[in-house]
Amino acid sequence: MAGVFVLGLAAGGWLYWKLNDNITSVDINNALGDNRPAKPVTTPSAGATEPLPSEAMNILVLGSDSRSGEENQRLGGGNSTGARSDTAMVFHIDAVGRTAKVVSIPRDTLVTRPSCPLPDGGETEERYGVMFNTAYALGGPVCAVKTVESMTGVRMDHYLEIDFAGFAGLVDAVGGVTVTIDEDINDEKSHLQLDAGTHTLDGEQALGLARTRYGLDGGSDLARIELQQQLVKALLTQISATSLLTNPAELYNVADAVTDSLTTDTGLDSLTELVGFGQSLRALSADATDTVTMPVVPAPSDPNRVVADEPEAGELWESLR
């Protein structure tokens, strides 16, 4: 029995090390320093001299189209190097983890991309009127975070990035997701064919739905964002229906599917931190999650691009501070 116990500990330790070692992390706080928006604070209570730090949290979540690895190449349909952030969402979670607002940023938004530090010690140049997703393509997670903070004035507390294989693996690990679509989809580029109606999708189908654009009426990125937001809620619904956060075996299956495809900031770069973060959100449901898109209008310089619609966009970001 003692031998079995020791072997069990060794196996558990190896599994923890394996999953922990899978996670890629970026020290965004150190790279950006103090030149960032202030952390949110609460209104001071009666008798208090200063406002207290808020426990609300803002997380930048990016979906990367990295082609690294055989599975990403298969799912992405290409073998090019590099990656883009074709999906960008800011998750604002309240202080007790019971409600959330998810704000999508269209990848075609023209923004001012600030000067960003590079790993080799250099810096990128500030550029005006460039597509939002060029920040990640040029300067990786650090530049993506700095660009979002610059355009919104909202401090990002954490960063999460998942690639094609990780997203598909996550959906499969939770047993698929159920969505309802209003029109037939036939998109060769995202390898997706679906009739209008309600479907339970596996990981590869869900990835195709998250990526589809040309199979939609008008081929709009904004229409694609609506499907991505529906997938977010479907995932929350499916996770709530399982014992994911209380069943170690199920949790391991999800962690094994996701960690190898995950990049985080250093505040979430261990299995312990990720599990603790997930468990802190166990009360969050799809019904308590509001999904919106940053208000935009066609760009005067290019009808195929958009710009923030002010003052509505500024008011939305203000609500997250």
Side-chain angles (χ1 to χ4, degrees):
M1 288 182 65
V4 171
F5 178 70
V6 170
L7 286 174
L9 286 178
W14 181 83
L15 288 174
Y16 179 88
W17 174 85
K18 174 181 178 293
L19 296 177
N20 217 49
D21 194 56
N22 283 346
I23 303 169
T24 300
S25 67
V26 178
D27 192 351
I28 291 173
N29 286 336
N30 185 58
L32 295 184
D34 296 327
N35 186 23
R36 306 176 66 185
K39 292 186 176 182
V41 295
T42 59
T43 303
S45 58
T49 58
E50 295 182 356
L52 298 173
S54 169
E55 296 299 325
M57 186 182 303
N58 292 305
I59 307 165
L60 177 61
V61 177
L62 296 186
S64 163
D65 70 349
S66 170
R67 264 66 167 182
S68 63
E70 291 183 5
E71 186 65 3
N72 276 326
Q73 288 183 22
R74 183 184 72 82
L75 292 171
N79 56 8
S80 59
T81 59
R84 299 165 298 179
S85 57
D86 279 355
T87 302
M89 297 178 175
V90 175
F91 279 66
H92 176 80
I93 302 166
D94 78 344
V96 293
R98 294 183 180 275
T99 64
K101 178 176 285 186
V102 181
V103 184
S104 296
I105 302 174
R107 70 165 201 165
D108 295 337
T109 305
L110 298 183
V111 301
T112 297
R113 188 182 66 220
S115 173
C116 300
L118 296 173
D120 63 4
E123 288 194 355
T124 66
E125 292 184 1
E126 184 177 44
R127 294 289 301 275
Y128 301 92
V130 297
M131 280 179 60
F132 167 75
N133 68 347
T134 64
Y136 177 87
L138 185 67
V142 171
C143 198
V145 170
K146 186 168 184 180
T147 300
V148 170
E149 291 186 343
S150 175
M151 65 185 281
T152 66
V154 178
R155 173 77 168 241
M156 296 297 112
D157 299 289
H158 289 298
Y159 172 85
L160 284 171
E161 173 193 327
I162 192 166
D163 63 20
F164 286 170
F167 179 78
L170 171 61
V171 172
D172 283 335
V174 299
V177 291
T178 301
V179 298
T180 300
I181 56 175
D182 297 328
E183 59 182 288
D184 295 345
I185 295 177
N186 184 5
D187 189 346
E188 293 182 358
K189 292 193 175 183
S190 66
H191 311 291
L192 182 67
Q193 287 186 327
L194 284 177
D195 295 332
T198 300
H199 303 269
T200 297
L201 308 180
D202 63 19
E204 190 166 348
Q205 291 172 314
L207 176 64
L209 189 64
R211 296 181 59 213
T212 194
R213 176 175 183 176
Y214 299 101
L216 302 174
D217 186 23
S220 166
D221 187 45
L222 297 179
R224 173 168 60 179
I225 284 174
E226 290 181 7
L227 292 176
Q228 292 171 350
Q229 292 172 344
Q230 188 179 165
L231 280 168
V232 168
K233 289 201 168 190
L235 266 171
L236 285 172
T237 298
Q238 183 64 18
I239 289 171
S240 298
T242 68
S243 55
L244 175 63
L245 297 178
T246 58
N247 186 315
E250 289 188 9
L251 189 58
Y252 171 78
N253 288 336
V254 172
D256 190 39
V258 172
T259 53
D260 195 39
S261 304
L262 198 65
T263 300
T264 74
D265 66 283
T266 50
L268 291 176
D269 64 351
S270 76
L271 195 58
T272 301
E273 289 166 331
L274 282 172
V275 170
F277 172 67
Q279 290 178 332
S280 72
L281 303 180
R282 58 185 177 272
L284 184 62
S285 68
D287 291 339
T289 302
D290 184 23
T291 55
V292 298
T293 301
M294 182 182 78
V296 293
V297 293
S301 61
D302 186 345
N304 295 317
R305 302 288 180 258
V306 296
V307 293
D309 186 10
E310 300 294 355
E312 287 81 1
E315 292 169 352
L316 173 61
W317 297 123
E318 178 66 30
S319 71
L320 306 190
R321 295 184 190 131

